[in-house]
Structure formats: C-alpha cells, structure tokens
C-alpha cells in the first residue's frame, strides 16, 4: 500500500489551480448579476437564481477539491467547515475564511470573510438593497456539502456592501445523510 500523502496547504492548493484574471472574473460575475436583474426584474428571484447557480457549481467543485487537496474524509461537521474555510476558499478564491460562532450542538457556524474578490468594483444601487450579491457563494457551500452527504441551510448575516464590517455566512447542518454504497460485498 503506498504511503498516504498529507493534505496540501491552502497556498499550495491555490498555486496548483488554473486561474483566470481576478478582474475578469469579478467583472464577468458582475455582468451575470446585472443580466439576471434585467431578465428577472425581482431581486428575490435573482437571489434564488444566484443560489441555484452556486449550488450547481458546488456540486462539481467538490470533486476537483477532493482530487487535488489530498484531504481524507472529515470526521464531523466542524472539521468539514474548517477544511472549507482554510483550504476550499483559498483554492478557488485565493482567500481564507474564519469559522466562528458555533452553536452548542456543533451543527451551526459562521464563515467570516474579511476579503471577497466577488465584490471588487461593486456598489449596490438603492433599488437593489435586497440583493444578496454574493449568494452564489452560499449556493456553492450548500452544493459542495450536499455532495459529501451534508444537507445544509446557508444564509448571509453580514455584508460589506450594506455597510457591515465583514462578510458572514451562517451555515446550519440540517441533516447528515449516511453514505450508501451501491453494491454489497459478496460473503
């Protein structure tokens, strides 16, 4: 059996991933949000669409993350959250998050981002005050966790675009789905 390789650090993961220009990424995301606002007209519908887009992205990103990070199975939700904050955010966005505000059961926490590359060059107009501009990130978290058998609810608590001091997502584990294997071993 080959020796296990230790998980890579967030910086090593970030260096190993193909990247696009940060400004191009930010401006493209902004154009998508703007087009959704034009097409859907209702801010709440745009929020739902951004979350669904993120969910679809998250279900695919988790495969790349697991393939490139050498991370073994996390034992619980706390370890999973810490892995996402330190490695996942670093690998795909180039930033790290802080995991904080755990509840007593260990099923709810907050991801706090001091820096968010999605919001460079962004100012929300008064007509879009209900817009959860970064809702794609909550969808990504939800989709990725669902692929590793964790159903979650993700909501934004703080948003610097609204004058808060940081970006904070509240993540609540609603159900841990036991892993099922498609085939039984023949005895």
């Amino acid at each position: 059996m080959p020796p296990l390789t230790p998980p890579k650090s967030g910086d090593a993961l970030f260096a190993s991933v193909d990247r696009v220009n940060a400004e191009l990424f930010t401006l493209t995301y902004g154009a998508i949000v703007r087009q959704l606002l034009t097409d859907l007209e209702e801010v709440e519908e745009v929020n739902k669409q951004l979350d669904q887009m993120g969910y679809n992205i998250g279900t695919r990103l988790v495969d790349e993350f697991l393939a490139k990070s050498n991370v073994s199975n996390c034992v619980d939700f706390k370890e999973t959250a810490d892995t996402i904050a330190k490695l996942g955010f670093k690998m795909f966005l180039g930033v790290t998050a802080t995991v904080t505000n755990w509840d007593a059961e260990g099923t709810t926490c907050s991801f706090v981002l001091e820096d968010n590359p999605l919001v460079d060059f962004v100012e929300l107009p008064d007509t879009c005050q209900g817009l959860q501009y970064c809702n794609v990130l909550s969808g990504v978290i939800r989709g990725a966790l669902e692929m590793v058998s964790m159903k979650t609810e993700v909501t934004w608590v703080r948003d610097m675009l609204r004058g808060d001091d940081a970006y904070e997502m509240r993540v609540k584990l609603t159900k841990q789905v036991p892993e099922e294997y498609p085939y039984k071993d023949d005895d």
Side-chain angles (χ1 to χ4, degrees):
M1 181 176 204
L4 294 174
T5 55
K8 294 182 180 179
S9 71
D11 290 328
L13 285 171
F14 185 64
S16 71
V17 176
D18 293 333
R19 292 184 295 276
V20 298
N21 178 289
E23 289 177 1
L24 176 65
F25 174 70
T26 301
L27 294 172
T28 302
Y29 180 72
I32 290 168
V33 173
R34 180 72 181 118
Q35 190 62 49
L36 286 171
L37 284 166
T38 302
D39 292 348
L40 300 176
E41 296 174 1
E42 294 293 324
V43 170
E44 202 48 49
E45 286 301 312
V46 174
N47 290 339
K48 288 177 187 175
Q49 189 66 33
L50 289 172
D51 180 72
Q52 186 60 46
M53 287 169 55
Y55 176 85
N56 293 339
I57 293 167
T59 60
R60 288 164 180 81
L61 281 184
V62 72
D63 288 333
E64 182 175 355
F65 175 76
L66 292 172
K68 291 185 178 180
S69 68
N70 296 330
V71 171
S72 61
N73 288 350
C74 295
V75 294
D76 59 13
F77 184 58
K78 284 187 175 187
E79 186 179 344
T80 303
D82 196 49
T83 301
I84 291 168
K86 290 186 173 53
L87 299 177
F89 276 104
K90 186 68 173 184
M91 181 175 175
F92 295 110
L93 289 177
V95 299
T96 56
T98 304
V99 183
T100 187
N101 299 330
W102 282 99
D103 68 351
E105 295 83 32
T107 59
T108 305
C109 66
S110 291
F111 288 111
V112 178
L113 294 163
E114 302 286 329
D115 186 28
N116 183 346
L118 290 179
V119 299
D120 292 343
F121 320 115
V122 175
E123 287 183 29
L124 290 181
D126 292 337
T127 58
C128 295
Q129 288 306 309
L131 179 66
Q132 297 291 324
Y133 186 82
C134 299
N135 224 27
V136 72
L137 293 179
S138 59
V140 168
I141 299 293
R142 197 170 54 83
L145 287 173
E146 191 167 310
M147 292 297 103
V148 293
S149 304
M150 296 181 183
K151 297 245 185 215
T152 56
E153 294 173 0
V154 184
T155 55
W156 285 97
V157 179
R158 294 188 290 164
D159 188 339
M160 291 176 79
L161 292 175
R162 292 198 174 85
D164 296 320
D165 59 342
Y167 297 94
E168 180 179 348
M169 280 185 283
R170 195 82 177 135
V171 182
K172 178 180 181 180
L173 178 66
T174 58
K175 184 178 181 184
Q176 180 96 31
V177 180
E179 289 188 43
E180 295 180 12
Y181 297 99
Y183 305 105
K184 292 183 180 182
D185 289 335
D186 292 332
D187 291 325

